[in-house]
Amino acid sequence: MTDPVSGSYAPALADGEPVLALRGVSKRFGAVQALTDVELEVHTGEVLALVGDNGAGKSTLVKSIAGVHTIDDGQIEWEGRPVSIHRPQDSQHLGIATVYQDLALADNLDVVANLFLGRELTTHGTLDEVAMEKRAQELLDTLSIRIPSVRIPVASLSGGQRQVVAIARSLIGDPKVVILDEPTAALGVEQTAQVLDLVERLRARDLGVILISHNMVDVAAVADTVAVLRLGRNNGTFPMRGTTQETIIAAITGATDNAVTRRAARATGPRPEGEA
Amino acid sequence: MSTPPTNPSGSPDPSDPLSGFNPLEPPPGLDPMPSAAIAPPVDPRLLVRQEGLRGYVDEFKRKVRGGELGSLPVVIGLIIIWLIFSLQNSQYFSAANAEFIVYYMVGLGMLATGLVFVLLLGEIDLSVGSVSGLAAAIYAVLSVEHNWNAWLAVIVTLLAGAAIGGTQGWIFAKIGVPAFVVTLAGFLAWQGVMLWLLGSTGTINLEPKALNALFSGNSYFLGGDIAGAYILAGIAVVGFGASGFLEQRRRKAAGVPARPTGELVARTVVLAIGAFLVAWILNRASGVPNNAVIFLALLVICDFVLRRTTYGRKVFAVGGNIEASRRAGISVPMVRISVYAISGTFAALGGLAIAATTNAAGQAGADPNNLMMAIAAAVIGGTSLFGGRGRVWSALLGILVIESINAGLFMLGLTLDIQYMITGGVLLAAVVVDSLSRRTQKSSGRA
Ligand SMILES: Nc1ncnc2c1ncn2[C@@H]1O[C@H](COP(=O)(O)OP(=O)(O)O)[C@@H](O)[C@H]1O
Ligand SMILES: [Mg+2]
């Protein structure tokens, strides 16, 4: 089994270079050192789960890749070349699409307008609504996404439908890597299944997917590789196959003993308060 | 369920949601995942509208329940207002009065049009009344006191309006002062500048030149020729009908849902009846005032910009969700600055139109009542105070309501005190309707 702390591990699905790699990335907010020397590799056709406790720095890491924050130290490599990402557009132009934890949809606009927001199709300088509607419908169909109508305001969709629209929106620019920050956090069982289905379809299209999740069940269902962040540092990268949940939980909580022994102890002794 | 091999205790702890976790098996909750290969059956909740009258009625009911009232309350309100005043005074329902309303609505209507842009962002511009007064003063000083070419003076005045609005927008967007405060400062400051420009006399009489001539009370389309009004109505109907059918054809060719032909015909016929009726009425007076023609043309252009261009899409997006807009790569500060510049330009244009009604730029030009009327018009017409919802046509509908009330009160000889109270009441009613409809939309998941 891999050593959870060293983080040395070659992903099972990898053949060749990672499409996106982080080398020694650090980010600081005033007194908070949110990220320290973080390493990460994503390959095409791979679902990389990024897990960690609240405040571990997952969202910060995502926002650094997406160009919302600029990194203080370290390097981001895209297809083997070092790149600098200062604005969201830089990240988009490389081919990285991000679906944020706080949904970035305009409730007053309809599905088509949201899908194409910021990169509308035009003819003679005016919006080409017909072409956008047609492409929107085609995209939603290939992803087997079902929504009442592409012409109703996003506000009237359910949570799962909105999440699916947000993910579909990230695919409009034909990205190579899609980052999903807690896509199932607020969803029920059926809606979660919809989103996880969609994640699998993204992998089938040979995209690299970074999936941030709190939910180990979700992670187990779709991830190929799990990277653990703890207090802003790497705390192990594991292949999903052949790694036990306990190993991952131990890496998340930073337990020196592992969760297996904790559970064994719990079965006999009194249950400690505030367990993760 | 089989005991997970990794669980040495042998008995899954039911209170632990992660127990029973096995990376090699799909988790139990996700077991019956629909396969991607089989397209799921069409969702029975799909909003497919039936064709024909039945479908119309159903959709209408759905919209009203969802709080999407559109222009319906205004149109009903307008009819009630006309009925009440007509019963009070038989002169009210006359061509002359219609002409009066159409002519006097233009200045404030232009202020309201600029305000629609600002309201779409979910912001407010309290300076438009003062800017309109200042613009009239600038134009008067340049064209009368300095003898500038009248058209050049018009252009400089409009640019001044844009610069004033843009500056206020810049302070709001870049420095982060709330728009309410910036434009409240503008409300006072620009009025001060106007008084200073007008000097001791306080009034400068204008000559009927350039735009001022077109805005004046005896300037009619095609010189008031009967054909003029009908030509305008014809252009509106043909333009509306043709664009509807062209869009239907493009949509059908692309295989996306299109409006049924019956509906297009019905809409065009309704517009034709309305347009030719108005033309007929105005022709019984003196024809269509040129200021109204310019106002309508500007509304058509603004409607096009807001609904058919990427710029308009940005305005709606920023009004709906600032963070989403930013992440979509929209420059939120540029949208804000430009929208305030548009508002300032329309305020200046409205100021010229208001000054033309009296052929003078005077201290009354910056009447604070103008500001309230313009805001009221935009909101009464159906543009939401909460941002992201509205159309420029609400400036027209709203100002029609306000001027219809003003004309009626004027005819009944009611004094200013009553006028203010009634207009204030109408504004309050419009805001209440707006807030209630937003609440309904929230509870039915539409806001
Ligand atoms: N914009 C910010 N300003 C200051 N501190 C921040 C900011 N964003 C995140 N942090 C801090 O960085 C740490 C990591 O946060 P975050 O990346 O959101 O964690 P996670 O998504 O893993 O729960 C937290 O301590 C958080 O308070
Ligand atoms: Mg987070």
Side-chain angles (χ1 to χ4, degrees):
Chain A
M1 187 176 292
T2 31
D3 174 9
V5 188
S6 77
S8 62
Y9 152 72
L13 286 178
D15 34 8
E17 287 279 287
V19 57
L20 173 71
L22 271 60
R23 312 281 183 211
V25 165
S26 298
K27 174 70 192 174
R28 189 182 182 90
F29 295 111
V32 182
Q33 185 72 38
L35 298 174
T36 314
D37 280 336
V38 173
E39 307 274 331
L40 203 70
E41 292 192 350
V42 197
H43 302 76
T44 54
E46 176 190 34
V47 177
L48 171 76
L50 185 60
V51 298
D53 249 342
N54 270 330
K58 306 180 295 294
S59 296
T60 306
L61 187 65
V62 164
K63 286 178 179 163
S64 305
I65 302 172
V68 177
H69 301 319
T70 317
I71 57 174
D72 299 334
D73 227 331
Q75 207 157 57
I76 300 177
E77 286 176 14
W78 179 256
E79 296 176 331
R81 288 173 299 109
V83 288
S84 52
I85 297 176
H86 296 291
R87 301 171 307 156
Q89 290 94 316
D90 297 341
S91 170
Q92 278 170 21
H93 288 156
L94 288 173
I96 302 170
T98 312
V99 180
Y100 296 91
Q101 186 170 5
D102 34 349
L103 284 176
L105 296 175
D107 279 351
N108 57 328
L109 297 180
D110 63 24
V111 175
V112 176
N114 268 291
L115 287 178
F116 286 90
L117 190 59
R119 49 195 162 200
E120 289 85 2
L121 305 180
T122 56
T123 47
H124 315 299
T126 64
L127 296 174
D128 192 344
E129 294 286 358
V130 176
M132 285 194 279
E133 186 167 333
K134 191 172 157 68
R135 276 206 36 204
Q137 197 62 63
E138 284 165 2
L139 177 68
L140 297 182
D141 285 347
T142 58
L143 297 171
S144 307
I145 294 173
R146 292 284 151 189
I147 46 171
S149 156
V150 292
R151 283 298 181 193
I152 56 172
V154 163
S156 55
L157 299 180
S158 74
Q161 289 169 332
R162 291 160 61 93
Q163 186 60 263
V164 158
V165 168
I167 296 174
R169 164 174 161 69
S170 72
L171 301 179
I172 291 280
D174 268 328
K176 291 186 176 155
V177 170
V178 177
I179 307 176
L180 308 173
D181 192 355
E182 303 263 12
T184 59
L187 305 184
V189 173
E190 175 56 32
Q191 299 184 333
T192 299
Q194 271 179 24
V195 171
L196 294 183
D197 269 1
L198 186 51
V199 170
E200 289 189 326
R201 267 173 249 134
L202 300 186
R203 173 172 54 198
R205 292 172 133 208
D206 247 1
L207 295 170
V209 180
I210 302 180
L211 171 72
I212 297 180
S213 181
H214 251 91
N215 186 336
M216 290 306 291
V217 177
D218 293 0
V219 169
V222 293
D224 302 306
T225 311
V226 182
V228 179
L229 272 191
R230 175 165 163 71
L231 302 176
R233 294 173 186 272
N234 285 106
N235 203 21
T237 305
F238 310 90
M240 197 64 241
R241 266 172 192 276
T243 306
T244 61
Q245 172 206 6
E246 284 73 16
T247 313
I248 296 170
I249 303 271
I252 292 173
T253 57
T256 46
D257 57 339
N258 69 37
V260 180
T261 55
R262 279 205 197 187
R263 282 174 52 84
R266 195 193 298 162
T268 52
R271 190 182 179 136
E273 296 264 297
E275 266 291 336
Chain B
M1 181 164 52
S2 65
T3 308
T6 54
N7 188 343
S9 69
S11 60
D13 179 355
S15 68
D16 183 348
L18 298 178
S19 74
F21 173 96
N22 183 341
L24 299 180
E25 273 176 19
L30 300 172
D31 227 335
M33 266 200 274
S35 157
I38 311 162
V42 174
D43 191 323
R45 294 163 298 180
L46 291 193
L47 301 173
V48 183
R49 208 180 77 203
Q50 302 141 279
E51 296 209 1
L53 189 66
R54 179 74 204 282
Y56 239 129
V57 174
D58 283 353
E59 166 145 315
F60 178 73
K61 280 189 197 155
R62 182 179 64 75
K63 283 195 163 172
V64 168
R65 246 181 281 124
E68 286 172 80
L69 298 172
S71 4
L72 188 72
V74 204
V75 174
I76 293 176
L78 204 52
I79 292 170
I80 293 175
I81 290 166
W82 288 342
L83 276 178
I84 291 176
F85 283 119
S86 299
L87 291 177
Q88 300 283 325
N89 187 326
S90 57
Q91 285 301 298
Y92 188 82
F93 211 77
S94 66
N97 191 38
E99 185 95 272
F100 178 88
I101 291 173
V102 167
Y103 177 69
Y104 281 96
M105 77 179 180
V106 170
L108 289 179
M110 284 172 171
L111 301 197
T113 306
L115 274 167
V116 168
F117 282 80
V118 177
L119 291 178
L120 281 176
L121 290 187
E123 302 294 341
I124 191 77
D125 186 346
L126 298 178
S127 72
V128 292
S130 299
V131 172
S132 72
L134 173 60
I138 292 174
Y139 173 75
V141 168
L142 292 181
S143 69
V144 178
E145 296 196 342
H146 292 275
N147 273 317
W148 280 32
N149 171 292
W151 279 111
L152 185 64
V154 167
I155 290 169
V156 170
T157 301
L158 295 183
L159 288 178
I164 288 172
T167 306
Q168 293 179 153
W170 184 86
I171 294 173
F172 159 57
K174 290 289 191 181
I175 301 182
V177 183
F180 169 78
V181 181
V182 178
T183 57
L184 184 60
F187 167 82
L188 288 173
W190 305 123
Q191 196 166 353
V193 176
M194 176 198 79
L195 294 176
W196 173 73
L197 273 183
L198 290 175
S200 51
T201 57
T203 302
I204 300 174
N205 287 326
L206 299 174
E207 294 153 48
K209 280 197 258 180
L211 200 57
N212 200 43
L214 286 174
F215 281 163
S216 77
N218 47 22
S219 169
Y220 295 95
F221 188 65
L222 289 189
D225 193 297
I226 295 232
Y230 293 126
I231 287 174
L232 287 174
I235 290 174
V237 172
V238 170
F240 181 82
S243 75
F245 280 102
L246 275 179
E247 163 137 5
Q248 188 204 40
R249 224 180 58 196
R250 285 186 46 226
R251 289 183 153 269
K252 279 188 173 158
V256 295
R259 280 187 202 281
T261 305
E263 182 184 333
L264 284 177
V265 170
R267 287 165 152 259
T268 310
V269 167
V270 169
L271 178 76
I273 292 172
F276 280 95
L277 191 65
V278 171
W280 178 74
I281 291 172
L282 292 181
N283 268 341
R284 289 172 56 89
S286 315
V288 188
N290 267 325
N291 69 353
V293 177
I294 294 172
F295 180 43
L296 287 176
L298 288 172
L299 286 177
V300 170
I301 293 169
C302 288
D303 184 52
F304 181 84
V305 167
L306 280 177
R307 291 192 310 116
R308 298 277 180 220
T309 67
T310 51
Y311 176 75
R313 185 56 49 86
K314 288 177 188 171
V315 171
F316 276 95
V318 172
N321 186 338
I322 292 165
E323 195 50 38
S325 311
R326 196 172 286 136
R327 289 178 191 168
I330 294 171
S331 167
V332 176
M334 281 321 294
V335 171
R336 288 177 164 167
I337 293 170
S338 60
V339 159
Y340 275 90
I342 290 171
S343 175
T345 310
F346 269 104
L349 195 60
L352 293 180
I354 293 168
T357 60
T358 56
N359 263 318
Q363 291 176 351
D367 182 358
N369 204 32
N370 286 351
L371 167 68
M372 289 318 293
M373 299 282 194
I375 295 176
V379 177
I380 290 169
T383 291
S384 173
L385 281 172
F386 302 101
R389 279 190 300 128
R391 299 177 309 159
V392 284
W393 299 107
S394 57
L396 176 63
L397 276 174
I399 203 66
L400 266 179
V401 169
I402 299 234
E403 286 302 333
S404 297
I405 294 174
N406 281 351
L409 297 177
F410 181 73
M411 209 170 256
L412 296 181
L414 292 181
T415 43
L416 220 51
D417 45 359
I418 308 271
Q419 264 189 49
Y420 283 2
M421 283 186 248
I422 291 184
T423 312
V426 172
L427 173 59
L428 186 65
V431 176
V432 167
V433 168
D434 181 27
S435 301
L436 286 180
S437 111
R438 185 179 154 83
R439 228 171 52 187
T440 323
Q441 288 188 332
K442 264 202 170 144
S443 64
S444 67
R446 282 178 174 268

mmCIF file of all heavy atoms in Angstrom, chain B residues 198-222:
data_model
loop_
_atom_site.group_PDB
_atom_site.id
_atom_site.type_symbol
_atom_site.label_atom_id
_atom_site.label_comp_id
_atom_site.label_asym_id
_atom_site.label_seq_id
_atom_site.Cartn_x
_atom_site.Cartn_y
_atom_site.Cartn_z
ATOM 1 N N LEU B 198 -27.059 79.564 -14.867
ATOM 2 C CA LEU B 198 -28.172 80.406 -15.290
ATOM 3 C C LEU B 198 -27.992 81.840 -14.813
ATOM 4 O O LEU B 198 -28.580 82.770 -15.374
ATOM 5 C CB LEU B 198 -29.494 79.842 -14.772
ATOM 6 C CG LEU B 198 -29.943 78.545 -15.442
ATOM 7 C CD1 LEU B 198 -31.191 78.007 -14.777
ATOM 8 C CD2 LEU B 198 -30.189 78.766 -16.928
ATOM 9 N N GLY B 199 -27.196 82.010 -13.748
ATOM 10 C CA GLY B 199 -26.865 83.360 -13.305
ATOM 11 C C GLY B 199 -28.025 84.068 -12.646
ATOM 12 O O GLY B 199 -29.017 83.453 -12.240
ATOM 13 N N SER B 200 -27.917 85.377 -12.601
ATOM 14 C CA SER B 200 -28.848 86.169 -11.792
ATOM 15 C C SER B 200 -30.269 86.146 -12.352
ATOM 16 O O SER B 200 -31.235 86.113 -11.597
ATOM 17 C CB SER B 200 -28.337 87.606 -11.700
ATOM 18 O OG SER B 200 -28.058 88.069 -13.011
ATOM 19 N N THR B 201 -30.399 86.134 -13.685
ATOM 20 C CA THR B 201 -31.753 86.180 -14.241
ATOM 21 C C THR B 201 -32.520 84.896 -13.938
ATOM 22 O O THR B 201 -33.724 84.919 -13.754
ATOM 23 C CB THR B 201 -31.707 86.368 -15.767
ATOM 24 O OG1 THR B 201 -30.929 85.288 -16.306
ATOM 25 C CG2 THR B 201 -31.097 87.689 -16.150
ATOM 26 N N GLY B 202 -31.781 83.798 -13.912
ATOM 27 C CA GLY B 202 -32.428 82.528 -13.560
ATOM 28 C C GLY B 202 -33.132 81.875 -14.721
ATOM 29 O O GLY B 202 -33.555 80.724 -14.622
ATOM 30 N N THR B 203 -33.292 82.547 -15.843
ATOM 31 C CA THR B 203 -33.963 81.941 -16.987
ATOM 32 C C THR B 203 -33.301 82.426 -18.271
ATOM 33 O O THR B 203 -32.976 83.615 -18.388
ATOM 34 C CB THR B 203 -35.453 82.332 -17.026
ATOM 35 O OG1 THR B 203 -36.052 81.924 -15.809
ATOM 36 C CG2 THR B 203 -36.159 81.668 -18.186
ATOM 37 N N ILE B 204 -33.077 81.509 -19.197
ATOM 38 C CA ILE B 204 -32.566 81.910 -20.508
ATOM 39 C C ILE B 204 -33.557 81.417 -21.553
ATOM 40 O O ILE B 204 -33.872 80.227 -21.600
ATOM 41 C CB ILE B 204 -31.170 81.300 -20.784
ATOM 42 C CG1 ILE B 204 -30.168 81.776 -19.721
ATOM 43 C CG2 ILE B 204 -30.699 81.660 -22.190
ATOM 44 C CD1 ILE B 204 -28.814 81.116 -19.833
ATOM 45 N N ASN B 205 -34.080 82.317 -22.374
ATOM 46 C CA ASN B 205 -35.034 81.900 -23.404
ATOM 47 C C ASN B 205 -34.305 81.257 -24.567
ATOM 48 O O ASN B 205 -33.222 81.684 -24.951
ATOM 49 C CB ASN B 205 -35.832 83.114 -23.883
ATOM 50 C CG ASN B 205 -36.826 83.551 -22.831
ATOM 51 O OD1 ASN B 205 -37.378 82.711 -22.092
ATOM 52 N ND2 ASN B 205 -37.025 84.847 -22.724
ATOM 53 N N LEU B 206 -34.898 80.206 -25.115
ATOM 54 C CA LEU B 206 -34.264 79.463 -26.197
ATOM 55 C C LEU B 206 -34.871 79.857 -27.527
ATOM 56 O O LEU B 206 -36.023 80.297 -27.602
ATOM 57 C CB LEU B 206 -34.462 77.963 -25.981
ATOM 58 C CG LEU B 206 -33.872 77.385 -24.691
ATOM 59 C CD1 LEU B 206 -34.272 75.929 -24.550
ATOM 60 C CD2 LEU B 206 -32.359 77.527 -24.692
ATOM 61 N N GLU B 207 -34.070 79.693 -28.591
ATOM 62 C CA GLU B 207 -34.605 79.908 -29.931
ATOM 63 C C GLU B 207 -34.971 78.554 -30.519
ATOM 64 O O GLU B 207 -34.285 77.565 -30.244
ATOM 65 C CB GLU B 207 -33.551 80.583 -30.815
ATOM 66 C CG GLU B 207 -33.226 81.996 -30.367
ATOM 67 C CD GLU B 207 -31.819 82.394 -30.778
ATOM 68 O OE1 GLU B 207 -31.465 82.188 -31.949
ATOM 69 O OE2 GLU B 207 -31.075 82.881 -29.909
ATOM 70 N N PRO B 208 -36.021 78.494 -31.293
ATOM 71 C CA PRO B 208 -36.436 77.202 -31.867
ATOM 72 C C PRO B 208 -35.505 76.773 -32.989
ATOM 73 O O PRO B 208 -35.790 76.963 -34.166
ATOM 74 C CB PRO B 208 -37.848 77.471 -32.380
ATOM 75 C CG PRO B 208 -37.902 78.936 -32.606
ATOM 76 C CD PRO B 208 -36.924 79.571 -31.658
ATOM 77 N N LYS B 209 -34.359 76.246 -32.614
ATOM 78 C CA LYS B 209 -33.378 75.784 -33.592
ATOM 79 C C LYS B 209 -33.035 74.332 -33.309
ATOM 80 O O LYS B 209 -33.258 73.838 -32.210
ATOM 81 C CB LYS B 209 -32.095 76.624 -33.480
ATOM 82 C CG LYS B 209 -32.178 77.971 -34.161
ATOM 83 C CD LYS B 209 -30.789 78.539 -34.371
ATOM 84 C CE LYS B 209 -30.486 79.606 -33.337
ATOM 85 N NZ LYS B 209 -29.166 80.204 -33.455
ATOM 86 N N ALA B 210 -32.468 73.680 -34.303
ATOM 87 C CA ALA B 210 -31.917 72.330 -34.146
ATOM 88 C C ALA B 210 -32.900 71.398 -33.434
ATOM 89 O O ALA B 210 -34.095 71.389 -33.716
ATOM 90 C CB ALA B 210 -30.580 72.386 -33.418
ATOM 91 N N LEU B 211 -32.376 70.622 -32.466
ATOM 92 C CA LEU B 211 -33.202 69.664 -31.755
ATOM 93 C C LEU B 211 -34.345 70.366 -31.037
ATOM 94 O O LEU B 211 -35.459 69.851 -30.918
ATOM 95 C CB LEU B 211 -32.321 68.913 -30.749
ATOM 96 C CG LEU B 211 -32.859 67.584 -30.246
ATOM 97 C CD1 LEU B 211 -33.141 66.639 -31.397
ATOM 98 C CD2 LEU B 211 -31.865 66.953 -29.285
ATOM 99 N N ASN B 212 -34.068 71.580 -30.550
ATOM 100 C CA ASN B 212 -35.067 72.339 -29.827
ATOM 101 C C ASN B 212 -36.302 72.597 -30.696
ATOM 102 O O ASN B 212 -37.429 72.607 -30.195
ATOM 103 C CB ASN B 212 -34.432 73.659 -29.386
ATOM 104 C CG ASN B 212 -35.213 74.275 -28.255
ATOM 105 O OD1 ASN B 212 -35.615 73.558 -27.344
ATOM 106 N ND2 ASN B 212 -35.444 75.567 -28.346
ATOM 107 N N ALA B 213 -36.082 72.775 -32.004
ATOM 108 C CA ALA B 213 -37.211 72.983 -32.907
ATOM 109 C C ALA B 213 -38.020 71.701 -33.042
ATOM 110 O O ALA B 213 -39.254 71.715 -33.026
ATOM 111 C CB ALA B 213 -36.704 73.440 -34.272
ATOM 112 N N LEU B 214 -37.315 70.570 -33.151
ATOM 113 C CA LEU B 214 -38.020 69.283 -33.290
ATOM 114 C C LEU B 214 -38.800 68.947 -32.024
ATOM 115 O O LEU B 214 -39.833 68.293 -32.072
ATOM 116 C CB LEU B 214 -37.011 68.161 -33.565
ATOM 117 C CG LEU B 214 -36.409 68.125 -34.965
ATOM 118 C CD1 LEU B 214 -35.331 67.057 -35.048
ATOM 119 C CD2 LEU B 214 -37.506 67.852 -35.989
ATOM 120 N N PHE B 215 -38.273 69.385 -30.881
ATOM 121 C CA PHE B 215 -38.925 69.082 -29.608
ATOM 122 C C PHE B 215 -40.043 70.064 -29.276
ATOM 123 O O PHE B 215 -40.737 69.895 -28.287
ATOM 124 C CB PHE B 215 -37.893 69.131 -28.472
ATOM 125 C CG PHE B 215 -37.033 67.898 -28.361
ATOM 126 C CD1 PHE B 215 -35.851 67.921 -27.635
ATOM 127 C CD2 PHE B 215 -37.428 66.705 -28.953
ATOM 128 C CE1 PHE B 215 -35.059 66.785 -27.512
ATOM 129 C CE2 PHE B 215 -36.643 65.571 -28.838
ATOM 130 C CZ PHE B 215 -35.460 65.602 -28.125
ATOM 131 N N SER B 216 -40.187 71.107 -30.064
ATOM 132 C CA SER B 216 -41.140 72.144 -29.678
ATOM 133 C C SER B 216 -42.571 71.695 -29.977
ATOM 134 O O SER B 216 -42.805 70.758 -30.722
ATOM 135 C CB SER B 216 -40.837 73.449 -30.418
ATOM 136 O OG SER B 216 -41.298 73.338 -31.743
ATOM 137 N N GLY B 217 -43.525 72.428 -29.360
ATOM 138 C CA GLY B 217 -44.915 71.995 -29.365
ATOM 139 C C GLY B 217 -45.624 72.106 -30.693
ATOM 140 O O GLY B 217 -46.741 71.610 -30.837
ATOM 141 N N ASN B 218 -45.024 72.751 -31.692
ATOM 142 C CA ASN B 218 -45.727 72.827 -32.970
ATOM 143 C C ASN B 218 -44.953 72.144 -34.088
ATOM 144 O O ASN B 218 -45.021 72.536 -35.239
ATOM 145 C CB ASN B 218 -46.035 74.280 -33.343
ATOM 146 C CG ASN B 218 -44.806 75.150 -33.157
ATOM 147 O OD1 ASN B 218 -43.676 74.630 -33.158
ATOM 148 N ND2 ASN B 218 -45.005 76.437 -33.015
ATOM 149 N N SER B 219 -44.182 71.124 -33.706
ATOM 150 C CA SER B 219 -43.421 70.382 -34.698
ATOM 151 C C SER B 219 -44.010 68.986 -34.803
ATOM 152 O O SER B 219 -43.967 68.202 -33.851
ATOM 153 C CB SER B 219 -41.952 70.333 -34.254
ATOM 154 O OG SER B 219 -41.240 69.413 -35.042
ATOM 155 N N TYR B 220 -44.600 68.698 -35.950
ATOM 156 C CA TYR B 220 -45.276 67.411 -36.125
ATOM 157 C C TYR B 220 -44.635 66.615 -37.243
ATOM 158 O O TYR B 220 -44.083 67.186 -38.185
ATOM 159 C CB TYR B 220 -46.769 67.618 -36.405
ATOM 160 C CG TYR B 220 -47.465 68.227 -35.232
ATOM 161 C CD1 TYR B 220 -47.652 69.597 -35.152
ATOM 162 C CD2 TYR B 220 -47.903 67.425 -34.176
ATOM 163 C CE1 TYR B 220 -48.259 70.172 -34.061
ATOM 164 C CE2 TYR B 220 -48.515 67.990 -33.075
ATOM 165 C CZ TYR B 220 -48.692 69.360 -33.024
ATOM 166 O OH TYR B 220 -49.286 69.920 -31.927
ATOM 167 N N PHE B 221 -44.760 65.306 -37.158
ATOM 168 C CA PHE B 221 -44.193 64.427 -38.170
ATOM 169 C C PHE B 221 -44.833 64.720 -39.517
ATOM 170 O O PHE B 221 -46.064 64.809 -39.625
ATOM 171 C CB PHE B 221 -44.419 62.964 -37.770
ATOM 172 C CG PHE B 221 -43.698 61.983 -38.658
ATOM 173 C CD1 PHE B 221 -42.317 61.947 -38.695
ATOM 174 C CD2 PHE B 221 -44.411 61.111 -39.451
ATOM 175 C CE1 PHE B 221 -41.655 61.044 -39.510
ATOM 176 C CE2 PHE B 221 -43.761 60.203 -40.269
ATOM 177 C CZ PHE B 221 -42.372 60.171 -40.294
ATOM 178 N N LEU B 222 -44.018 64.901 -40.544
ATOM 179 C CA LEU B 222 -44.455 65.286 -41.888
ATOM 180 C C LEU B 222 -45.345 66.523 -41.839
ATOM 181 O O LEU B 222 -46.347 66.621 -42.554
ATOM 182 C CB LEU B 222 -45.209 64.131 -42.565
ATOM 183 C CG LEU B 222 -44.378 62.923 -42.994
ATOM 184 C CD1 LEU B 222 -45.234 61.992 -43.845
ATOM 185 C CD2 LEU B 222 -43.144 63.341 -43.777
#
